[in-house]
Amino acid sequence: MLKAEQISFRYTHNGPWILRDVSLAIEAGEVVGLSAPSGRGKTTLGKILAGYLPPLTGRVSLNGAPLPKSGYCPVQLIFQHPELAINPRWRMKRVLEEAFVPSAELLRDLGIEAGWLNRWPHELSGGELQRFAVARALGPATRYVIADEMTTMLDANTQAHIWQVVLDHVRRRKLGLLVVSHDAALLGRLCTQIISLPHL
Amino acid sequence: MASVSLKRAPKRVVTFDVFNRRVRTLGMIAFSVAVLAVMMLLAQVLGVDGLQTRLDVRNQPPSWANPFGTDWLGRDMFTRTLQGLTISLRVGLIASALSAVLGLLVGLAAATLGGWVDAAITWLIDLFMSLPHMVALILIAFVFGGGVNGVIASVALTHWTGLARVIRAEVLQLKTADYVQLSARFGHSKMWIARHHLLPHLFPQFVVGLLLLFPHAILHEAGITFIGIGLSPHQPAVGVILSESMRHLSTGYWWLAVLPGLALLVMVKSFDALGENLRALLDPRTAQE
Amino acid sequence: MLSVRNLSITFAMYEAGLRRRAITPIAGLDLDVRAGELLGVIGASGSGKSLLAHAVLGILPSNASAAGQIWFKGELLTPARQEALRGKEIALIPQSVGFLDPLMRVGRQVRRAAQLSGASSPVEAQRRIFERYGLRPQDARLYPFQLSGGMARRVLVSTAAVGQASLIIADEPTPGLHPEVVAETLRHMRELADEGRAVLLITHDVGAALTVADRIAVFYAGTTVEVAPVADFQGDGAALRHPYTRALWRALPQNEFISLPGAQPTPDDLPAGCLFAPRCPLATAECRAARPELRPVRGGWARCIHVES
């Protein structure tokens, strides 16, 4: 279980609170939706859950233990803008295989074509780049996935496609999934449970 | 709208306008390198024969035998200028390399150590930048007792700030970039990230920074030598030539100052063009235009 | 107001050294937008939506070459005319405040836009437009970075609406915003059209476009595959003309949430025939042989040989 207990966070000492006493838990195999207006710390919470930021108070635990400080993180975050999550000076093959070598099956499911692997990031569209970001996050050691507005910038067709692949993996491998989105229809489609962040 | 006929064969190689941006950029780079190479080669080929005192050909205006004329001792000004530029180049190379390495180390230290180290370095950079360049140069050259060491020290110690600032900003921005943070979540160590994500990004910045330091180093070396606290009068550096020639300007021997000055300008501009064009080529935003 | 006829845009990209490769992100694009109409332009990223905006405004990068025709108010657009019309007759609502001058107060930027479009009193024009969009007079003194998401939208709309532009192009004006802000921005787009201006709303968000547009133009791999009245987007999508439009409609989470396999062809490797044929359930040998023409079908347009007219 991925568990956040009484998380509080602010970026600067004396700055405004971004998160205040937030708690949530995701079971393996569960799809939880997180909805809140912009500026309520959804992205910050996602970064804390995936170990990008340490919470100021409270704790994040994975099956009772804190997140590992080094090595592959079992909680992987997928960003809204794939072009920022990819080194612009690397070819796509190197980008894809930075963490592990994804199976041919996963690439086929995501519709990643062999010809794309030799390209530079700026030669691919946002929808194509996001497929690579998803492939990288679904490593063998991944247990939980945080999808922060993962398909907000994509067209409906690519959105439906990527979610089908992710949901399929979640079910088969019993991964936990947190879907951060403001699209109520999308959350309704994907999630068994929807939580929202209170206004501070 | 320009009307162009478009064929429909995929992946074709097209020759658009011949003088497109990249051809021009590469052309400028080749031209600058050629100008500098010719200067250096000529200096080697001509040797030091022209530096002999020949009182029979004193103060000759430019001619085929002496393209830059001769001075009040009958020395060939063309040879003197080229020898002077070679010395300037050597001094400039050492000074700007020292300066660039200093800038790199200081910038890296500020960005990676953070905290009070960063604050202190930023303060130091601001201090150096707010100081008038020439004053700092003269003071430092004076402290080091003038001469070659004084010139190198003063140029190196005053020119690292720009590159240090660039490197610091780049590293700070890279450290918080999504793809760098993600790399750590994939289990890569700090060293691995520095080697694979940071260094390849910083290297071109460093090379361009170094090249653009060059013209400054050479100009300032000439400058402090001109006012008499740089290289000694026994070394035929450009600054020395220019400063001596000033005394002869009023007598109508214009070529003594104008032609070496022009040569210095050509050399400085060549380096400047080299750096700027290389920068345009390495920046992904301008590389495609 | 605006007619785009068979527009193609080709870029020369460097591969290695001096070898260049041509890519064609826009290939055979057609479009019409009338005064008082809001035309939604939808498509995946890489379908050429934003490039269309740049082509109409005449701000393509120097390594691009364009073929085809763009007509504005019955006159063929030339680079010189585009420069004269830009900011006056044709205005852009950009994607983010990143397009504003970060060092200039927003009030001054709106006044400058007003001045450029020939307003007699820029100060008065800015005051009125701020009032109209619910911005307080003191907000004019803010810098772009101080604006909240909703305020930034209103300022961006103000810069385009303050003048007398008869064509307004909004390029992804609602990127990843909260539903309330999206709804407000879309309402502003509608109002601009109702004032008699032509509005081009470029977005990847089908749902957003459907709430305010009169007609929808669907782009695929740089070509217009369908132009349809919004009323046709309903139920199982049977009223739609092109198989790609139907697939987009069905892929919405509020509908069937199923996707079409495959991906849009890359602009340097376009198929010789219909650009959609590789993914099309209806494709035949005839489709793969030649590119179909855009033709009138049931009160709209479609680029497909299988649809009944």
Side-chain angles (χ1 to χ4, degrees):
Chain A
M1 192 196 310
L2 179 66
K3 208 167 167 186
E5 290 163 280
Q6 303 287 309
I7 301 279
S8 295
F9 188 83
R10 54 182 169 187
Y11 280 95
T12 52
H13 186 64
N14 289 335
W17 287 101
I18 310 289
L19 297 166
R20 202 79 205 259
D21 296 330
V22 175
S23 300
L24 67 89
I26 309 163
E27 300 272 4
E30 192 185 21
V31 183
V32 177
L34 176 65
S35 114
S38 51
R40 294 238 184 121
K42 284 178 302 188
T43 297
T44 307
L45 182 59
K47 286 195 166 176
I48 289 173
L49 285 173
Y52 283 72
L53 288 172
L56 214 57
T57 62
R59 60 184 228 119
V60 176
S61 61
L62 179 68
N63 301 329
L67 291 178
K69 287 245 185 309
S70 61
Y72 189 92
C73 183
V75 183
Q76 286 291 325
L77 177 63
I78 304 177
F79 294 86
Q80 179 176 358
H81 299 284
E83 55 279 9
L84 301 179
I86 283 169
N87 188 336
R89 289 171 189 268
W90 286 14
R91 283 191 193 271
M92 291 315 297
K93 184 175 165 62
R94 194 168 169 206
V95 168
L96 183 67
E97 294 172 359
E98 184 177 357
F100 65 101
V101 181
S103 68
E105 186 199 358
L106 177 58
L107 299 190
R108 198 196 54 225
D109 287 351
L110 280 168
I112 293 174
E113 294 174 11
W116 297 355
L117 295 179
N118 268 322
R119 294 185 174 264
W120 298 104
H122 71 256
E123 296 178 311
L124 296 179
S125 71
E128 287 157 3
L129 293 178
Q130 194 64 294
R131 296 169 202 234
F132 282 87
V134 169
R136 289 197 303 181
L138 292 175
T142 301
R143 304 311 325 155
Y144 290 85
V145 175
I146 317 286
D148 182 12
E149 302 280 4
M150 177 174 82
T151 54
T152 304
M153 305 308 289
L154 307 182
D155 66 289
N157 198 56
T158 313
Q159 165 171 276
H161 179 179
I162 288 180
W163 280 116
Q164 277 156 13
V165 178
V166 172
L167 280 187
D168 181 49
H169 269 259
V170 163
R171 288 202 193 99
R172 270 194 296 147
R173 294 170 51 192
K174 275 189 76 79
L175 304 179
L177 174 63
L178 182 71
V179 186
V180 181
S181 174
H182 58 241
D183 186 342
L186 182 69
L187 291 177
R189 268 280 171 190
L190 297 169
C191 308
T192 47
Q193 189 202 142
I194 297 171
I195 51 180
S196 56
L197 286 179
H199 185 67
L200 283 179
Chain B
M1 293 274 103
S3 273
V4 211
S5 73
L6 295 167
K7 293 180 206 95
R8 280 213 172 111
K11 246 214 161 173
R12 63 208 190 276
V13 177
V14 189
T15 45
F16 286 79
D17 44 334
V18 180
F19 286 100
N20 58 58
R21 176 68 187 266
R22 189 170 285 191
V23 173
R24 269 207 314 271
T25 306
L26 288 174
M28 279 305 291
I29 290 174
F31 180 73
S32 308
V33 170
V35 167
L36 296 169
V38 164
M39 280 187 171
M40 294 307 97
L41 271 176
L42 268 179
Q44 290 301 314
V45 170
L46 286 174
V48 289
D49 293 350
L51 298 182
Q52 300 285 334
T53 306
R54 287 179 60 196
L55 296 176
D56 53 326
V57 287
R58 285 165 47 186
N59 297 329
Q60 296 294 311
S63 65
W64 282 112
N66 307 103
F68 280 21
T70 60
D71 66 4
W72 56 96
L73 293 172
R75 293 176 295 187
D76 176 35
M77 283 306 287
F78 190 59
T79 311
R80 286 196 76 199
T81 303
L82 285 177
Q83 293 298 342
L85 286 177
T86 315
I87 291 178
S88 298
L89 195 68
R90 220 172 294 148
V91 173
L93 182 71
I94 298 170
S96 46
L98 275 178
S99 194
V101 170
L102 191 62
L104 178 72
L105 293 179
V106 171
L108 281 177
T112 49
L113 297 177
W116 69 268
V117 179
D118 186 27
I121 289 175
T122 311
W123 179 81
L124 201 65
I125 292 177
D126 287 342
L127 180 76
F128 264 95
M129 286 193 142
S130 61
L131 222 60
H133 239 78
M134 217 50 208
V135 174
L137 278 165
I138 292 169
L139 282 177
I140 297 171
F142 200 72
V143 167
F144 278 78
V148 178
N149 289 342
V151 169
I152 291 177
S154 63
V155 171
L157 285 177
T158 47
H159 282 77
W160 56 274
T161 49
L163 190 63
R165 235 189 208 182
V166 169
I167 298 283
R168 175 181 173 273
E170 286 288 335
V171 173
L172 282 182
Q173 194 226 322
L174 279 175
K175 259 173 49 177
T176 54
D178 285 349
Y179 68 87
V180 171
Q181 299 209 334
L182 191 63
S183 195
R185 299 287 95 200
F186 284 152
H188 292 303
S189 66
K190 283 192 168 158
M191 280 312 287
W192 192 96
I193 293 173
R195 210 174 99 60
H196 291 88
H197 285 297
L198 265 57
L199 285 185
H201 186 90
L202 294 179
F203 182 71
Q205 309 262 12
F206 176 74
V207 172
V208 170
L210 175 71
L211 273 171
L212 288 178
L213 271 177
F214 231 85
H216 283 265
I218 293 169
L219 271 183
H220 281 129
E221 179 241 290
I224 42 182
T225 303
F226 180 81
I227 56 172
I229 51 170
L231 306 179
S232 83
H234 305 299
Q235 287 160 313
V238 173
V240 176
I241 296 173
L242 290 176
S243 124
E244 285 175 351
S245 306
M246 289 308 282
R247 277 179 265 143
H248 298 269
L249 263 187
S250 53
T251 50
Y253 304 145
W254 55 271
W255 57 90
L256 294 179
V258 171
L259 295 176
L262 269 179
L264 176 66
L265 194 68
V266 167
M267 177 153 128
V268 165
K269 282 310 252 181
S270 297
F271 269 114
D272 207 37
L274 188 60
E276 289 293 349
N277 281 293
L278 211 57
R279 195 219 298 270
L281 202 63
L282 292 172
D283 188 338
R285 277 168 302 191
T286 50
Q288 284 299 340
E289 282 181 19
Chain C
M1 182 70 73
L2 179 78
S3 291
V4 177
R5 288 283 165 269
N6 200 21
L7 178 71
S8 291
I9 296 174
T10 301
F11 281 86
M13 304 289 283
Y14 287 100
E15 273 187 322
L18 288 176
R19 209 151 58 90
R20 298 219 270 181
R21 170 167 55 92
I23 63 163
T24 307
I26 288 197
L29 196 94
D30 295 272
L31 192 78
D32 279 284
V33 55
R34 296 184 281 263
E37 183 187 44
L38 197 161
L39 178 76
V41 173
I42 61 170
S45 60
S47 64
K49 304 181 306 260
S50 291
L51 270 182
L52 166 73
H54 295 176
V56 172
L57 290 160
I59 51 173
L60 290 170
S62 60
N63 59 328
S65 60
Q69 298 174 328
I70 301 176
W71 298 78
F72 179 71
K73 289 189 168 171
E75 268 187 79
L76 194 61
L77 279 186
T78 58
R81 255 182 74 71
Q82 280 173 322
E83 207 186 319
L85 294 173
R86 199 154 63 220
K88 299 189 187 80
E89 281 284 301
I90 306 177
L92 175 75
I93 300 179
Q95 211 167 5
S96 73
V97 283
F99 289 80
L100 294 178
D101 184 340
L103 300 176
M104 199 193 279
R105 296 179 198 277
V106 295
R108 192 154 157 233
Q109 305 204 37
V110 173
R111 289 196 289 279
R112 225 170 55 156
Q115 197 173 17
L116 188 69
S117 75
S120 55
S121 166
V123 178
E124 177 60 18
Q126 180 249 310
R127 198 189 58 71
R128 270 203 315 263
I129 203 83
F130 265 43
E131 205 176 283
R132 171 174 170 185
Y133 289 120
L135 292 160
R136 297 163 304 169
Q138 63 264 37
D139 293 338
R141 299 194 52 76
L142 298 176
Y143 287 97
F145 77 92
Q146 294 171 307
L147 302 174
S148 71
M151 276 162 80
R153 287 298 119 196
R154 294 182 212 155
V155 169
L156 291 172
V157 174
S158 299
T159 55
V162 71
Q164 298 303 310
S166 44
L167 172 64
I168 290 183
I169 302 175
D171 186 7
E172 294 280 4
T174 59
L177 296 170
H178 187 258
E180 285 163 33
V181 183
V182 172
E184 181 190 291
T185 309
L186 293 174
R187 200 176 66 240
H188 292 152
M189 302 288 118
R190 186 66 250 174
E191 287 168 8
L192 291 173
D194 292 342
E195 286 166 15
R197 312 188 203 226
V199 181
L200 210 57
L201 172 65
I202 297 173
T203 178
H204 69 278
D205 190 340
V206 188
L210 287 176
T211 57
V212 288
D214 298 300
R215 291 188 303 153
I216 301 283
V218 183
F219 283 13
Y220 183 79
T223 192
T224 319
V225 293
E226 174 164 357
V227 181
V230 274
D232 292 352
F233 289 83
Q234 54 145 325
D236 60 357
L240 295 169
R241 293 151 193 83
H242 197 279
Y244 178 66
T245 318
R246 272 201 293 277
L248 260 190
W249 174 243
R250 292 173 63 189
L252 287 175
Q254 54 269 42
N255 297 335
E256 293 165 62
F257 202 45
I258 49 169
S259 69
L260 198 69
Q264 200 169 242
T266 49
D268 64 342
D269 199 13
L270 296 179
C274 174
L275 298 178
F276 187 61
R279 297 172 79 183
C280 185
L282 308 174
T284 57
E286 201 184 340
C287 296
R288 293 186 194 95
R291 302 239 170 116
E293 292 294 315
L294 192 67
R295 57 196 182 89
V297 180
R298 288 184 267 114
W301 296 79
R303 196 186 289 279
C304 178
I305 56 171
H306 297 292
V307 65
E308 301 290 325
S309 47

